[in-house]
Amino acid sequence: MKNSIKFYALSLAALLGFASCQEEPAPEKEQPAATHTVKFTAMLPETKTTATIDGDIVRYAWKAEDAKAEYFTIYENGKAATKAKVTPVLLDNLMYIEAKFTGDSEENAEYSALFQSRVQTEQNADAENYDQESDVLVAQSAEKDENGRLGFSFERQVAFAKITLKGLEKGHHVSKVKIEDLDGNAIAAEYDWTNKKFSGIYSSSVITISCSSVISNGEASVWLTTIPLVEAKLKFTVGTADESGNA
């Protein structure tokens, strides 16, 4: 009898131990951080930007290659969405953008956008086009459209110029142009969105343009994108090449 009582007591203890294990709450799963997505449209002008050159209005449209997340920075109340969470799509000459932000959405949030951020020290251009990689456009959000998208109307923050080089006595085309500000002023730099100015470690007083502008009657045209300057003393060093590309 004693043996059976001990066995029963031991079995009861094991059972109570098993029951207590079963009653322990499972560890809570970590809840994912709240996010919200905001939709935008690059509003009028419907093209990327406009300018007047030689008395003619020139319109530069968004290009398919502009629809890249790394080109756009979208800000909500001054805080940027990560590049991986910005999705631009070009459709019918309009740029549609979606940006995902952390946290809950705010009813009266303010939004801004930056298209590219740096005037490059190394640019590529030809007789008809500037280097779009060196364009910097900034926008503030506007009213919502009928589809509930916020509008972005981009404005250029850089200057561009069509330079006519004269007195070119040899060569088939201009292959390279080095431009230097003789006073050491920065003509290439990164745009500081917070302070609304160009500055930073990428500042340079020299820009080098690779191009293939054909020389005609000793002249050739080249496009340049630069930081806006009130006054500038610029030095141009021109390299030419024959039809085979030899300097």
Side-chain angles (χ1 to χ4, degrees), residues 28-51:
E28 290 186 10
K29 290 185 179 180
E30 212 173 291
Q31 296 297 320
T35 62
H36 60 283
T37 299
V38 184
K39 299 179 180 181
F40 307 91
T41 304
M43 301 291 283
L44 295 173
E46 293 186 0
T47 51
K48 180 177 175 181
T49 187
T50 61

Side-chain angles (χ1 to χ4, degrees), residues 16-132:
L16 289 173
F18 177 76
S20 65
C21 289
Q22 290 293 94
E23 290 171 4
E24 288 182 10
E28 290 186 10
K29 290 185 179 180
E30 212 173 291
Q31 296 297 320
T35 62
H36 60 283
T37 299
V38 184
K39 299 179 180 181
F40 307 91
T41 304
M43 301 291 283
L44 295 173
E46 293 186 0
T47 51
K48 180 177 175 181
T49 187
T50 61
T52 302
I53 304 295
D54 297 333
D56 297 324
I57 295 178
V58 182
R59 300 175 71 86
Y60 297 97
W62 292 107
K63 293 184 176 181
E65 54 264 33
D66 291 333
K68 295 180 181 179
E70 60 265 30
Y71 287 166
F72 289 90
T73 307
I74 312 298
Y75 301 89
E76 181 181 66
N77 291 334
K79 186 176 181 180
T82 62
K83 300 288 187 181
K85 295 178 179 178
V86 175
T87 308
V89 176
L90 180 65
L91 181 64
D92 296 331
N93 293 326
L94 290 176
M95 191 68 73
Y96 295 95
I97 309 166
E98 291 189 4
K100 184 182 288 186
F101 300 91
T102 57
D104 296 320
S105 60
E106 298 181 30
E107 185 176 350
N108 298 314
E110 294 184 357
Y111 296 93
S112 301
L114 180 64
F115 176 77
Q116 299 182 154
S117 62
R118 192 184 308 167
V119 177
Q120 306 285 347
T121 56
E122 300 286 335
Q123 300 182 21
N124 295 282
D126 56 38
E128 302 298 331
N129 297 284
Y130 68 99
D131 188 352
Q132 292 204 35

Side-chain angles (χ1 to χ4, degrees), residues 183-238:
D183 292 328
N185 296 315
I187 55 177
E190 188 166 27
Y191 186 77
D192 181 349
W193 182 86
T194 302
N195 296 309
K196 307 296 188 293
K197 66 179 183 179
F198 285 94
S199 59
I201 61 174
Y202 299 104
S203 297
S204 174
S205 61
V206 178
I207 292 175
T208 301
I209 304 172
S210 297
C211 54
S212 57
S213 300
V214 175
I215 299 171
S216 177
N217 297 321
E219 297 183 1
S221 296
V222 176
W223 286 87
L224 166 69
T225 305
T226 180
I227 295 173
L229 297 173
V230 177
E231 293 183 4
K233 297 177 183 177
L234 301 177
K235 175 184 176 181
F236 294 84
T237 304
V238 181

